[in-house]
Each structure stands twice: as C-alpha cells, then as structure tokens.
Amino acid sequence: MTITKKDFKLIIPFIFFLIFGIYGIYSVDFISVSQTMKTTFEWCTIPTIIFALYYAYHSSFGYKTTIVIAIWRNTFTFIVMTIITFTSFQGILMLINKNIGPQKEYLLSGKITKLKFPENKKIGNKYSIEIERKLERDTIELNVPTNQYFEKQKFEKRMKIGSLHFIYSEE
C-alpha cells in the first residue's frame, strides 16, 4: 500500500483534529461529564456522522478490493470514525468552554452517591463520581483525577462554570 498526496490531504487534518480533541479532554482535572456528553450529542451528532461517512468512504473506496471487503471495511471504519470524531468534538467543546467567553466561580457541594472507578487504571480511563447536589436538587457526574473518594462522602470544591455551562476545575 502506497500513501499518495490525496491520502496526506485526508490524514493530516484528521490528525490535527484528533490531537486538538484529545488535548481538550485532558485539559481539566474535574469536568461534568454528563453535561459535556449531552451537549456534544445535541450539537455534534450530525457533523460527526457526516465527518465519519466522509472519512470512511475516502479511506476505503478507491482501493482495489471486492465489494464485500469494501462494504465491511467501510462499515468498520465508519463505526471507529464515529467514536473518534465524537470524542474529539467533546474535547474541543471542553476547550471552548474553558477558554472562550465568560467564566463564573461556582461552589460544587453535595454528597457522593456513586463511584465509577475502573478496576485497573489504563491510559484513557477516567475516574468519575456522581454527586447529589442539594441546591439544584439533581445528580451530576464528575470526572475526577484520583480514586480517593468513597460513597456518602461530602464533596465540596471551588469550580468554574464556563461559557458552555460545563462545570470544571483545572486542579
């Protein structure tokens, strides 16, 4: 398989998009996952599908294969590209939330109701906790940097609310 100029024109922008998105995901230590997922789903579903279809089509077709292999490869590539694109859009929205527009101070307080810790910490795994907020009378899922929390623990932390209304803290 030889890489052509056309391939580079396809790959290079995607790599920058991916790096920018991954950087956004890891740019904060504490972030309200439920808010970021909901917003990314609402705002970026159609662009994600278009982007994934475009890359799946251009990365599979144009190569000499049978129709069955091309369909299988396109389907697999589409699924992988959808996941990668959605995650990158989520990271980009986190960067926008943190760096553009007004930022308000916020005191997040409540009781931890659920822990979501992976058994073995691997690259990409996040620790998260669910916090029942008394003032807002709801539950929020929060990514946290460590697993030093336990259920029914009182949680209180100075955070910020960014321009997209995601609750976050850099430390």
Side-chain angles (χ1 to χ4, degrees), residues 59-116:
S59 66
S60 298
F61 284 113
Y63 297 102
K64 293 181 181 181
T65 59
T66 64
I67 191 72
V68 174
I69 293 173
I71 290 172
W72 177 84
R73 186 184 293 167
N74 255 5
T75 303
F76 178 74
T77 306
F78 173 73
I79 292 168
V80 170
M81 291 303 295
T82 300
I83 293 167
I84 291 170
T85 304
F86 186 82
T87 305
S88 292
F89 272 130
Q90 184 180 10
I92 290 167
L93 288 178
M94 288 178 186
L95 283 174
I96 291 169
N97 179 68
K98 180 178 108 173
N99 296 313
I100 298 173
Q103 309 290 307
K104 292 186 278 185
E105 292 292 322
Y106 175 72
L107 178 64
L108 177 59
S109 64
K111 188 179 284 189
I112 298 174
T113 59
K114 191 174 186 180
L115 306 173
K116 294 183 181 179

Side-chain angles (χ1 to χ4, degrees), residues 15-33 36-37 40 84-100 124 126 143 164 166-171:
I15 289 173
F16 280 117
F17 174 73
L18 182 67
I19 290 170
F20 196 57
I22 290 172
Y23 172 74
I25 287 175
Y26 291 100
S27 66
V28 293
D29 287 336
F30 295 86
I31 185 89
S32 59
V33 179
T36 61
M37 288 293 281
T40 306
I84 291 170
T85 304
F86 186 82
T87 305
S88 292
F89 272 130
Q90 184 180 10
I92 290 167
L93 288 178
M94 288 178 186
L95 283 174
I96 291 169
N97 179 68
K98 180 178 108 173
N99 296 313
I100 298 173
K126 298 267 189 165
N143 275 359
L164 299 177
F166 303 159
I167 299 169
Y168 75 96
S169 176
E170 296 179 67
E171 51 197 46

Side-chain angles (χ1 to χ4, degrees), residues 27-55:
S27 66
V28 293
D29 287 336
F30 295 86
I31 185 89
S32 59
V33 179
S34 49
Q35 293 172 323
T36 61
M37 288 293 281
K38 181 182 174 194
T39 303
T40 306
F41 187 76
E42 287 175 0
W43 293 2
C44 300
T45 298
I46 293 173
T48 296
I49 291 170
I50 292 168
F51 198 78
L53 280 172
Y54 176 80
Y55 271 92

